[in-house]
Structures are given as C-alpha cells and as structure tokens.
Amino acid sequence: DALGGFVSTINNYPNPDRMLVRTEKVVHDFLMKELCGEAPSCGPYDLFAVEGATAAMCYIFETLFKNHLLPKGSKIAVMVPIFPPYIEIPELPSKAYELIHIEATGLDNEGQHTWQYPVEQLEKLKDKDIKALFLVNPSNPPSVSMDNESIEQIITIVKEDNPNLIIISDDVYGTFVEGFRSLIVDLPFNTIGVYSFSKYFGVTGWRLGTIAISQSNVLDKLLQELPKEKKEILNKRYSSLTEDPENLKFIDRIVADSRDVAMNHTAGLSTPQQVQMALFSIFAMLDTTNDYKKKTIDILHRRMNLLYEGLGLPKKHLPNDADYYTEIDLEIWCNHHFEKGFFEYLKENYKPVDILYRLAEKSSIVLLSGEGFLAPVWSIRVSLANLNDKDYLHIGKELKNVLDEYVVEWKAK
C-alpha cells in the first residue's frame, strides 16, 4: 500500500515538500533503531529529506544565519578533528564565525590517542557566548564516537550553563558502532540530527540524507524570543507560505530556504530517491538479527587488522571505534617503534606531506594528511571503506617501507 502511494506521485513533485508522509514514518523508525541505542523515549522528530549530509549542513547553516540565530561573527564551537568542509562553511566571509576548537586530545596510559575529549576541552562550552556546537559523531577521520563521560558532561553543561546551545550532530558513521547513541537522544531539545545513507548502504552518488529535529526544540523557542523588528522582517520573508509566518517551525524554514522560499514546492528529494531511502530503511528494520550490520562491521574490523599487520604495529581496540577510517599519528608511531632521535630528524628535515608524496611515488598509494582535518600535524588518514581487504595489508607494508627508507637515510647521515 505504501509503495502504491509512492508510485502514484512518481512523476510529480513530492508532496508534502518536506518529506513524503509514508517515507518519513519508515525512515523515522530506522533512525530510532540505529541512532537511539534502543532508548524507549527517543523521538518523535520531524524529518526533512535532503541531498546527503553535506546538503543538510549547508541548509542548516543558511537558515540559522537568515533567521538571526547565528548572526555574522557569532561564536561557535567545533569538535575536531572533523571533515574539512565543515570547518570551511563557518569561515566563509558571509558568516565569518569565530571558531572555538574542542579538541580530541585524550591519550591512554601508553600515550596513544583515544580520540576522546578531555574535561577541560568540553568546559569551553560553558561560555554562553557560544551559540552553537558542531560535531561529527563518530568523528571523521578518527572514526570514534564520544564516550559516555563526555556525553554526560555535555548534558550537564547544557542544562546548567548554556541551555540555549544549538547542537548540530552529523551521525553518519553511527551505524558502524554497536549500540551507538546520538545526542539527539540525550539532548533532543537542543540537537539537530543529520544522517546520510551514503556510508552504511554504499550509495554515495544517490545523495540520500535527512535532517531530524525534535518536535519540541530550542530553535523554535529562540525564534519566538527574537526582537519584534527581526520577527517582522522574517514574517515578510515567509509570508507566501502561510498566513501565520511568525509560528512557522524552524524545520519548515529550512525547507523553504533551501529553495529561496519562492520555490518551496520543489524542495527536498525526488520521489524515486525517497522511495530508495524507504527501501533501505525497511530492509534494515526487517533484519531483526542485524546480520547486515554485523557483516559490515566485520569487514571494517578485518581490514583494520590487515592494515596494522602490514604496518607491523599492534592494533589496539578503541571503545566506540567505528573502524570506517583510521588516523595514524606518525609522531607517536616513530617515538614508540623506532630508535630515539629518528622523529627529530624527520621533523627537522621533512614535512608530513613529503612522506605522503614519497608513498605515492613509490607505490601509487594516495593517503590524506590529518592536518586538514585539524588532527595532529603528523597524522595520516586512511579510509577502510573503499578497497579490497588485501589492499590494506599492502598499504600498511608500503607505508612502513617508506618510513624504513627515512630511517636508512637518518642512519647514513
């Protein structure tokens, strides 16, 4: 019956424009299963079907800006490392936001990265001038989700120190962590959830994503608290949509702004894309034993183990690790597994990118520097999602061979 309803509208603009009614229901149930850690109190949320997580971020920032919730020059916090375009959006001249970095500098007792956020980093969020917090959880590129201690600290800070904080959480990698729990569960009033189907179902080119906002949220509250003159400007902006623009919900403003208001009726995803999204959601919910999830996670774990086997390094299990990417810190690697003095030689004579260039020249393997993600300067990002299993053993061996060449040079000098 649901698909029959879809097919009848296949050649028309989707209606409602925010999201097809039946699609929204099944995608909502899918998100509850995958992002809520089986919390019974999760939801309900209004969803907007969009062209992937990146489009979601563009739309959200634009509507926050146009509705005076994040005026030009506002102070916002960004949890780093993070996907580079997510740093660049706030730095655009039209926004010029002041960025406060919340850094995942946590280390274990052996000096290895945990990619968690120390207490003093999260304490920065107590500053009431910080209007928004922006994060990817699990992170990109470390691919590790926040631990319970960090989540509890953020909850306390929001409730006691910064109750109007707007949180924007991209949870695209959450489906690769068993029992993952998004901030949309613990701070639903404050959090805008973003999810893309691209990674879990391997459909990057389809551009399937959603924005999820609790039906009771801080955004609608802040809109009601705007000064009268700003409300009047916004009422005029949205007057073509409703006779009561002042009470237009924030998520409906995102829909309108995504098409410059005037073309609101063409917003969101086409019907075929939404049908595909619904089919993915239904497939995941019918998989009651989570076989697909288990096999997908097993693939990533296997590839990660092969990568570290090639590197000749022990693979430490990190709690909350998605294993979708990994971040290899060359400084820690060299100091732990090469002779003393080698890393100092490397740092004095080369830049991190020199190692990547030599790797590419020797083996045609292209990896990314972590510095662009605001990760440690000497870190390297590897994606575990793109190649065959055996390729990761090869990548590990070739990267180690390159470092061994530098060791030979150092000893010769």
Side-chain angles (χ1 to χ4, degrees):
D1 288 344
L3 288 178
F6 289 139
V7 172
S8 68
T9 60
I10 201 90
N11 293 317
N12 302 303
Y13 292 125
N15 184 35
D17 39 48
R18 178 163 60 79
M19 196 167 186
L20 293 167
V21 174
R22 295 179 180 86
T23 304
E24 183 173 10
K25 289 180 179 178
V26 294
V27 173
H28 187 283
D29 288 348
F30 166 74
L31 294 178
M32 297 308 95
K33 176 186 177 185
E34 297 297 343
L35 303 184
C36 292
E38 299 181 356
S41 61
C42 197
Y45 303 94
D46 288 324
L47 306 185
F48 175 29
V50 295
E51 305 91 331
T54 48
M57 291 299 178
C58 293
Y59 295 157
I60 290 166
F61 270 99
E62 197 63 19
T63 296
L64 287 169
F65 175 73
K66 288 177 177 174
N67 283 267
H68 310 289
L69 301 185
L70 275 184
K72 185 174 181 177
S74 295
K75 187 185 288 188
I76 68 173
V78 181
M79 303 186 88
V80 297
I82 198 169
F83 183 45
Y86 289 177
I87 304 165
E88 294 158 1
I89 292 173
E91 291 180 332
L92 290 171
S94 60
K95 307 287 190 296
Y97 295 135
E98 179 184 348
L99 298 188
I100 307 299
H101 295 160
I102 312 294
E103 300 176 3
T105 54
L107 300 173
D108 64 16
N109 54 14
E110 296 178 2
Q112 302 283 352
H113 290 292
T114 63
W115 302 112
Q116 296 297 338
Y117 304 90
V119 170
E120 63 272 13
Q121 288 292 323
L122 295 175
E123 289 284 304
K124 297 175 184 178
L125 296 174
K126 289 184 176 181
D127 181 359
K128 285 187 172 63
D129 289 336
I130 294 178
K131 295 181 179 294
L133 169 64
F134 189 16
L135 67 148
V136 177
N137 184 33
S139 53
N140 178 3
S143 197
V144 176
S145 62
M146 276 195 295
D147 59 23
N148 291 333
E149 291 76 13
S150 295
I151 292 172
E152 288 299 324
Q153 187 180 354
I154 293 173
I155 293 170
T156 300
I157 289 171
V158 169
K159 291 184 175 179
E160 296 181 0
D161 302 288
N162 202 349
N164 288 332
L165 184 68
I166 299 166
I167 301 173
I168 308 156
S169 182
D170 179 349
D171 300 324
V172 61
Y173 306 106
T175 35
F176 299 102
V177 177
E178 291 283 3
F180 174 75
R181 188 178 174 107
S182 167
L183 284 175
I184 65 171
V185 184
D186 297 300
L187 288 169
F189 187 72
N190 297 78
T191 305
I192 302 172
V194 172
Y195 182 78
S196 168
F197 287 73
S198 299
K199 310 300 184 185
Y200 191 49
F201 295 102
V203 288
T204 307
W206 266 81
R207 314 307 303 149
L208 306 178
T210 58
I211 297 171
I213 301 179
S214 173
Q215 292 178 358
S216 173
N217 60 79
V218 72
L219 303 145
D220 292 336
K221 170 182 174 288
L222 293 173
L223 287 173
Q224 292 300 319
E225 295 173 355
L226 287 173
K228 182 180 178 181
E229 62 274 14
K230 290 183 178 178
K231 282 186 179 181
E232 289 175 351
I233 294 171
L234 291 172
N235 289 346
K236 185 175 181 180
R237 176 178 179 81
Y238 300 111
S239 61
S240 64
L241 302 178
T242 173
E243 293 181 355
D244 185 20
E246 189 165 320
N247 290 313
L248 187 68
K249 293 195 295 186
F250 182 80
I251 195 165
D252 292 321
R253 298 181 189 219
I254 297 178
V255 177
D257 291 333
S258 73
R259 295 297 183 271
D260 280 341
V261 181
M263 291 175 283
N264 180 86
H265 67 290
T266 67
L269 289 181
S270 68
T271 299
Q273 286 172 292
Q274 293 197 47
V275 170
Q276 185 64 64
M277 188 185 293
L279 291 173
F280 285 139
S281 298
I282 293 167
F283 164 77
M285 288 186 291
L286 290 176
D287 183 13
T288 54
T289 56
N290 282 332
D291 287 341
Y292 178 77
K293 178 187 285 285
K294 291 173 184 175
K295 289 177 181 178
T296 304
I297 291 174
D298 285 347
I299 289 170
L300 295 175
H301 287 340
R302 185 166 65 247
R303 291 175 181 177
M304 189 72 81
N305 288 329
L306 287 168
L307 173 68
Y308 275 80
E309 180 184 334
L311 293 170
L313 296 175
K315 171 63 178 77
K316 291 192 65 175
H317 173 68
L318 286 175
N320 310 310
D321 194 346
D323 277 352
Y324 193 90
Y325 304 115
T326 189
E327 194 75 4
I328 301 168
D329 191 326
L330 296 180
E331 180 174 2
I332 290 178
W333 180 7
C334 291
N335 287 333
H336 277 68
H337 299 281
F338 290 93
E339 292 179 46
K340 186 176 180 180
F342 169 59
F343 181 70
E344 284 69 23
Y345 163 80
L346 206 60
K347 189 164 57 173
E348 289 171 6
N349 293 277
Y350 295 97
K351 297 177 181 178
V353 72
D354 293 325
I355 295 165
L356 296 177
Y357 279 130
R358 184 176 293 195
L359 177 66
E361 290 167 355
K362 294 280 185 181
S363 63
S364 298
I365 293 171
V366 177
L367 302 180
L368 292 180
S369 167
E371 187 175 12
F373 298 80
L374 296 186
V377 173
W378 283 88
S379 62
I380 292 175
R381 172 188 185 265
V382 183
S383 170
L384 284 299
N386 307 90
L387 304 171
N388 295 319
D389 291 5
K390 63 181 180 180
D391 294 324
Y392 291 96
L393 179 65
H394 177 63
I395 290 171
K397 288 180 177 178
E398 291 298 329
L399 181 55
K400 185 177 186 304
N401 288 342
V402 165
L403 280 182
D404 286 341
E405 288 183 7
Y406 284 106
V407 171
V408 171
E409 290 179 13
W410 168 57
K411 289 185 174 180
K413 290 182 180 180

